[in-house]
């Protein structure tokens, strides 16, 4: 769990419910809580070794928890990351839809041009016939 001292703090499992991780969310939450509540602050390398995780992994968990709690502004929060991923996915879908519409538009425009050419030929033939008959 993220610390409850911040009004927007959410339980970690709510934020990462769709994330597949090598480590259980409970371990991640416990590790961050252990780091934050220790006084003096333990060395990340030592705490990571005690928990059986890589030090950089623990460091990333702590930084992300800080961002989610509003204590850092140099990284996106978990909610912002989720929103960004959703927007990128939507953007990709819209690009695909736009390409389909562009292709369909070109197809129908070509069909329309062909139809107009055929109609124009018949009109010209009709005028030519009228001119020959009139002469």
């Amino acid at each position: 769990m993220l610390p409850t001292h911040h009004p927007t703090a959410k339980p970690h499992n709510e934020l990462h419910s769709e994330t597949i991780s090598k480590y259980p969310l409970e371990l991640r939450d416990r590790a961050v809580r252990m780091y934050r509540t220790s006084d003096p602050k333990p060395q990340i390398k030592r705490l990571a070794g005690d928990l059986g995780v890589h030090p950089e992994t623990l460091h990333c968990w702590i930084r992300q928890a800080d961002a989610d709690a509003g204590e850092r502004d140099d990284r996106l929060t978990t909610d912002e990351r989720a929103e960004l991923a959703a927007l990128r996915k939507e953007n990709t879908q819209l690009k695909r839809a736009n390409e389909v519409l562009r292709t369909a538009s070109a197809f129908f425009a070509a069909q329309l041009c062909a139809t107009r050419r055929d109609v124009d030929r018949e009109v010209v033939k009709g005028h030519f016939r009228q001119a020959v008959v009139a002469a």
Side-chain angles (χ1 to χ4, degrees):
M1 295 271 257
L2 291 176
T4 56
H5 67 275
H6 193 277
T8 61
K10 295 182 182 179
H12 201 60
N13 54 3
E14 281 183 30
L15 300 175
H16 294 286
S17 60
E18 297 179 11
T19 303
I20 298 174
S21 176
K22 180 178 176 181
Y23 301 104
L25 291 175
E26 294 78 22
L27 174 63
R28 184 180 302 194
D29 294 337
R30 191 178 87 210
V32 171
R33 190 172 49 253
M34 286 175 67
Y35 178 79
R36 286 185 165 172
T37 58
S38 297
D39 192 29
K41 294 289 182 227
Q43 287 183 337
I44 289 179
K45 186 174 183 178
R46 180 171 294 150
L47 180 59
D50 293 344
L51 295 169
V53 300
H54 192 277
E56 187 57 29
T57 300
L58 177 57
H59 194 235
C60 287
W61 291 348
I62 293 167
R63 286 190 313 230
Q64 189 62 51
D66 289 346
D68 290 344
E71 297 169 9
R72 301 180 68 112
D73 59 0
D74 62 334
R75 333 172 35 108
L76 296 175
T77 66
T78 302
D79 290 339
E80 290 169 335
R81 286 177 185 271
E83 181 182 9
L84 181 59
L87 289 172
R88 285 180 173 162
K89 183 177 182 179
E90 180 183 6
N91 192 29
T92 299
Q93 292 170 343
L94 291 172
K95 283 181 178 181
R96 282 190 206 126
N98 200 15
E99 185 59 34
V100 168
L101 291 173
R102 197 176 293 123
T103 302
S105 177
F107 172 78
F108 288 118
Q111 293 296 315
L112 183 60
C113 281
T115 303
R116 284 186 180 162
R117 265 195 318 270
D118 292 343
V119 169
D120 289 344
R121 281 188 200 130
E122 292 303 317
V123 169
V124 169
K125 285 180 186 177
H127 286 296
F128 182 71
R129 285 186 194 127
Q130 287 176 355
V132 171
V133 172

